[in-house]
């Protein structure tokens, strides 16, 4: 059973545990990142937004706050986790700035660092870090986004000139939606099919100048502007087309594949598919950043909505002098508190993911198993956090009524700017398939395109026994689960072991079911490979979603375990209960269908959730206070207005109690 909650909890104690391993990076941003160019100016034009964000990017570069992940010998700190955390903190200010920074220092600079060799590092990293060399990450094509292995752009080597010929063969092969391309970019990391001696060797990357010093396109390079978007006005997304552009041989980023002067291709990784995914795996930092940044935007939206609900009143109870606060309504709590609980859960999961990324990428020797697990975890959490952001920001907008629809109250910006997060840095549905593939195949070397799913031999050789990879606090979680007695219906709903076991059992059951269906399909005479997978695609996605839910809950448990403040720990225990039970409640049909819940216990589940909401109601503001978002980062006029209204009401109430009330002007809405 959970302990009773203290009447008040110090939000700073919660902040400390939320900030985690890179708390010093977060504190530095909160204390020092303050500038008039940080926030969107309401009503600014596309051109004004781009100019402001570019100015701010230069200021950020001068501060050194976004280059933590680069090598020390080139002016960085070799701190991959700190770099991702710094990008995430920018997302609290302007998401256009976060994306601009992510393109420049995460994708463009990160690709040069991860895929290039010392000569590329020596030649370009310092200028990339200082923003003297603005760049682009040109991977996505109009006709190919998720299936990167099938890109159509070609880069063909000519041994006579010792140069590559970079070419866009048709319109669908143009590079599209490329950040920094329309206005600022002078160089691009371009992904294309490498061809030498008449043979293709798969997708590789080259450094390609796209503008000269005067800002004009280089010969053979055509640059277009994607134009106005739903959001992210400050990001200059553009299109790039290459008409037989000459690229010197040494501009190939050749860490994983080399072309000799005579055109001979060599690589330390012989298998083309394995080589491709190894190259992409080194770029996982961008995907991790997107998930964390979506979470930052979600926290900001919840901060605004909770504070509004703490001052805005609607409808009076019979006999009451004042109307009721929005946050006192159960239905309002049902909106905000489960979203807050999920946001806390994802914060702990993100902290664990960033730490894993930092350790895996910082190791002297590549651990392929750890790298594959990192990629899978990053894909799943990116999908979960960005979908959560889309749902929660919309909910926060509705929770603020008409005020939430005004640009001056920030929520419309957050909605528009985060909407694309569900489909960039990997479409979420495709990413969940990647997660499921890792679970189904046990991270086999045959980690290729979807074609690999349908081969009969491939499916027949899938794992015979499902093994759940434990996250942090492995020993504690195992003890909690093992302590659950055989009769689940006799265990209290607030028992942490029971909650963990419910999500664990669901994952194992769904995973084993997907394996059986795939094997059965593969053994059907005349079965076509594509149909084998396509017929169970819904089941495959369910497997991935169940896995993410379980991993997130375990990360939450680990976060509580390292919390030293008693009050903060008690509050986090209750928030974790809410996350676990609302996750089970949301999939109640599955748990009922598969006998994990009885109808009576299902009803008790909803009643318990409502009790948790009542328990957490007094702590709603504390929970958003713990996000520690500086006031000047919020940019929501509604917060100032509601604070003024609350002060006026408090003044009137005080005069009424003293019996000296006169005509006090109370702002509208009260």
């Amino acid at each position: 059973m959970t302990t009773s909650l203290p009447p008040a909890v110090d939000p700073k104690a919660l902040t400390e545990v939320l900030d985690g391993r890179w708390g010093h990076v977060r504190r530095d941003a909160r204390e020092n990142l303050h500038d008039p160019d940080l926030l969107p100016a309401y009503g600014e034009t596309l051109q004004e937004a781009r100019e402001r964000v570019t100015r701010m990017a230069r200021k950020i570069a001068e501060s050194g706050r976004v280059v933590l992940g680069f090598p020390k010998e080139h002016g960085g700190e070799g701190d991959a986790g700190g770099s991702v955390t710094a990008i995430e903190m920018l997302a609290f200010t302007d998401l256009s700035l976060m994306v601009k920074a992510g393109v420049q220092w995460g994708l463009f600079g990160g690709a040069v660092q991860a895929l290039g060799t010392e000569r590329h590092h020596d030649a370009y990293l310092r200028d990339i870090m200082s923003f003297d060399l603005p760049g682009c990450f040109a991977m996505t094509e109009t006709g190919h986004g998720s299936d990167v292995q099938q890109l159509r752009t070609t880069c063909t080597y000519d041994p006579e000139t010792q140069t590559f010929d970079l070419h866009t063969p048709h319109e669908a092969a143009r590079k599209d939606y490329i950040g920094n391309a329309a206005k600022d970019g002078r160089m691009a990391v371009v992904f294309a099919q490498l061809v030498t001696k008449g043979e293709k060797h798969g997708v590789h990357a080259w450094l390609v100048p796209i503008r000269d010093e005067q800002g004009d396109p280089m010969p053979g390079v055509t640059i277009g502007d994607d134009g106005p978007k739903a959001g992210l006005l400050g990001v200059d997304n553009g299109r790039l087309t290459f008409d037989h552009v000459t690229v010197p041989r040494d501009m190939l980023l050749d860490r994983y594949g080399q072309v000799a002067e005579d055109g001979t291709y060599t690589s330390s990784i012989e298998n083309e598919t394995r080589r491709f995914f190894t190259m992409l795996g080194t770029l996982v930092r961008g995907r991790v950043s997107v998930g964390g940044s979506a979470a930052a935007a979600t926290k900001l939206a919840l901060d605004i909505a909770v504070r509004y609900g703490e001052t805005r009143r609607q409808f009076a109870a019979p006999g009451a002098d004042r109307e009721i606060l929005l946050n006192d309504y159960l239905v309002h709590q049902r909106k905000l508190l489960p979203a807050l609980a999920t946001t806390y859960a994802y914060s702990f999961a993100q902290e664990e993911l960033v730490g894993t990324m930092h350790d895996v990428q910082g190791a002297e020797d590549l651990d392929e198993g750890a790298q594959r697990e990192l990629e899978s975890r990053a894909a799943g959490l990116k999908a979960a956090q960005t979908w959560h952001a889309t749902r929660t920001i919309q909910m926060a907008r509705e929770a603020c009524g008409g005020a939430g629809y005004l640009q001056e109250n920030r929520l419309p910006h957050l909605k528009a700017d985060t909407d694309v997060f569900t489909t960039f840095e990997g479409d979420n549905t495709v990413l969940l398939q990647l997660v499921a593939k890792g679970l189904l195949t046990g991270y086999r070397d045959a980690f290729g395109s979807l074609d690999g799913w349908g081969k009969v031999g491939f499916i027949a050789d899938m794992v015979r026994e499902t093994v759940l990879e434990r996250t942090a606090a492995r020993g504690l979680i195992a003890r909690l689960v093992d302590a659950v007695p055989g009769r689940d219906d006799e265990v209290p709903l607030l028992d942490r072991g029971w909650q963990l076991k419910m999500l664990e059992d669901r994952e194992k059951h769904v995973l084993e079911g997907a394996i059986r269906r795939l094997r059965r399909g593969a053994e059907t005479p005349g079965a076509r490979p594509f149909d084998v997978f396509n017929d169970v695609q819904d089941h495959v996605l369910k497997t991935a979603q169940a896995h993410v839910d379980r991993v997130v809950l375990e990360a939450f448990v680990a976060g509580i375990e390292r919390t030293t403040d008693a009050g903060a720990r008690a509050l986090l225990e209750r928030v974790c209960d809410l996350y676990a039970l609302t996750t089970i409640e949301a999939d109640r049909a599955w748990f009922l269908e598969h006998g994990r819940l009885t109808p009576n216990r299902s009803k008790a589940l909803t009643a318990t959730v409502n009790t948790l909401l009542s328990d957490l109601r007094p702590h709603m503001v504390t929970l958003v206070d713990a996000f520690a978002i500086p006031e000047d980062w919020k940019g929501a006029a509604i917060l100032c207005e509601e604070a003024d209204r609350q002060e006026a009401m408090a003044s009137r109430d005080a005069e009424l109690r003293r019996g000296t009330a006169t005509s006090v002007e109370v702002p509208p809405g009260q």
Side-chain angles (χ1 to χ4, degrees), residues 29 32-42 44 48-49 51-57 59-60 90 92-94 97 410 631-635:
N32 299 302
L33 192 57
H34 303 281
D35 191 284
D37 280 334
L38 267 176
L39 295 188
Y42 302 111
E44 69 183 348
E48 289 169 343
E51 290 174 353
R52 174 182 57 79
V53 169
T54 299
R55 283 197 307 272
M56 197 63 224
K59 295 175 186 178
I60 293 288
L90 290 179
F92 283 108
T93 61
D94 182 1
L97 177 60
R410 196 69 187 280
E631 289 302 318
D632 61 330
W633 288 9
K634 297 179 184 179

Side-chain angles (χ1 to χ4, degrees), residues 100-158:
K100 186 88 167 178
V103 168
Q104 174 68 21
W105 295 291
L107 295 176
F108 175 57
V112 175
Q113 178 184 346
L115 303 180
T117 53
E118 283 301 317
R119 72 174 186 276
H120 302 111
H121 299 170
D122 292 340
Y124 300 108
L125 282 187
R126 287 191 180 274
D127 285 345
I128 291 172
M129 293 163 65
S130 67
F131 205 55
D132 288 338
L133 180 60
C136 312
F137 185 82
M139 178 183 281
T140 297
E141 295 178 357
T142 303
H144 283 87
S146 297
D147 191 2
V148 177
Q149 210 168 1
Q150 304 302 320
L151 295 178
R152 295 292 185 255
T153 303
T154 59
C155 208
T156 306
Y157 184 69
D158 180 2

Side-chain angles (χ1 to χ4, degrees), residues 338-350:
L340 263 172
T342 302
T343 302
Y344 266 72
Y346 288 157
S347 291
F348 289 116
Q350 176 74 6

Side-chain angles (χ1 to χ4, degrees), residues 219-367:
V221 178
T222 300
I223 302 175
D225 193 322
D226 279 319
K229 307 181 293 291
L232 297 175
L233 292 187
V235 183
D236 51 321
N237 295 92
R239 300 178 172 119
L240 300 173
T241 303
F242 306 98
D243 184 10
H244 297 289
V245 174
T246 299
V247 181
R249 183 174 68 92
D250 62 3
M251 297 297 267
L252 170 67
L253 296 175
D254 57 353
R255 178 180 176 185
Y256 293 102
Q258 303 80 39
V259 175
E261 291 182 3
D262 66 354
T264 301
Y265 179 84
T266 56
S267 174
S268 58
I269 306 174
E270 292 186 10
N271 182 277
E272 180 181 313
T273 295
R274 185 169 164 231
R275 180 171 62 244
F276 170 74
F277 280 98
T278 299
M279 290 170 61
L280 258 59
T282 64
L283 305 175
V284 71
R285 197 181 304 177
R287 191 165 286 164
V288 176
S289 296
V290 169
S293 296
T298 306
K299 291 173 183 175
L300 181 52
L302 285 168
D303 184 289
I304 294 169
V306 167
R307 294 185 195 282
Y308 181 77
E310 198 66 17
T311 57
R312 185 76 166 92
R313 295 176 178 271
Q314 287 277 27
F315 306 106
D321 294 331
R322 299 184 65 183
E323 294 172 303
I324 299 168
L325 287 170
L326 292 183
N327 284 348
D328 286 338
Y329 287 101
L330 174 63
V331 289
H332 211 70
Q333 296 164 17
R334 269 277 179 178
K335 292 178 181 179
L336 294 175
L337 279 167
L340 263 172
T342 302
T343 302
Y344 266 72
Y346 288 157
S347 291
F348 289 116
Q350 176 74 6
E351 166 72 10
E352 186 176 305
L353 174 65
V354 172
T356 300
M357 180 206 73
H358 179 87
D359 296 338
V360 169
Q361 295 195 334
E364 291 186 8
D365 298 318
L366 176 66
D367 182 335

